[in-house]
Amino acid sequence: MQRTLSIIKPDAVRAGHLGEIIATFEKNLIRIVAMKMVHLSQREAEGFYAVHRQRPFFGELTAFMCEGPIVVMVLEGQEVIAKNRELMGATNPAQAAEGTLRKRFATSIQNNAVHGSDAPETAAFEIGYFFNALEIAG
Ligand code: ATP
Ligand code: MG
């Protein structure tokens, strides 16, 4: 059994897509074992995306992630890291497959509606960034 961190980003929360995104996880038999809404500070967003600090878009990306509340979730299931990435679609919505969350809800490569951990090590770091053990249902 694997866990991954999912984020519904400020653009998708603002546009009112929470329900449809959560329903997509449920319909695909992904179990949500933790969930909360938070509004990140600039520093908190920079800490979360620290792996991207050398990238040219780091400043804009972290500012975007602070624009409004986000919903963070821990998802659980067999191969859930890859399964979630598949449901999300490509980073750039122009390249995202039909029916994926980013095809449906993203409006640009930056404002791309959702985040998902990309490997077991990043999932462990990202889950720990938002949740302690008591906040995750077994
Ligand atoms: P995420 O990590 O959010 O799940 P990802 O793994 O598909 O997305 P990354 O390469 O890790 O993509 O980039 C992290 C985030 O940075 C992207 O989701 C997007 O919001 C933003 N981003 C990526 N590339 C660009 C770009 N060229 N210009 C602006 N923003 C970008
Ligand atoms: Mg990534």
Side-chain angles (χ1 to χ4, degrees):
M1 202 56 77
Q2 220 176 36
R3 283 178 176 172
T4 192
L5 186 86
S6 166
I7 302 180
I8 304 178
K9 295 185 181 184
D11 57 326
V13 175
R14 194 164 50 224
H17 299 313
L18 281 185
E20 286 179 274
I21 293 171
I22 292 167
T24 301
F25 295 138
E26 291 182 327
K27 279 185 192 131
N28 284 276
L29 305 181
I30 289 176
R31 235 159 61 81
I32 300 167
V33 294
M35 173 158 64
K36 64 184 165 190
M37 182 176 274
V38 296
H39 192 155
L40 294 178
S41 68
Q42 182 68 29
R43 256 187 86 146
E44 289 162 344
E46 288 170 5
F48 178 74
Y49 273 127
V51 290
H52 293 317
R53 66 187 170 279
Q54 307 298 351
R55 302 246 224 145
F57 56 79
F58 181 69
E60 284 164 75
L61 169 62
T62 52
F64 158 62
M65 289 300 286
C66 301
E67 277 177 9
I70 60 174
V71 169
V72 287
M73 284 170 280
V74 179
L75 309 180
E76 188 176 84
Q78 301 277 347
E79 302 297 328
V80 73
I81 294 174
K83 199 167 168 184
N84 180 42
R85 300 276 300 182
E86 208 178 300
L87 289 175
M88 287 162 55
T91 309
N92 186 344
Q95 270 127 45
E98 213 50 56
T100 59
L101 291 170
R102 283 168 169 168
K103 184 71 175 188
R104 291 162 68 196
F105 304 122
T107 54
S108 71
I109 191 166
Q110 177 185 269
N111 292 25
N112 62 3
V114 283
H115 162 85
S117 311
D118 59 11
E121 306 73 49
T122 47
F125 166 77
E126 293 176 359
I127 290 168
Y129 198 78
F130 286 105
F131 296 97
N132 68 42
L134 288 176
E135 294 171 316
I136 303 172

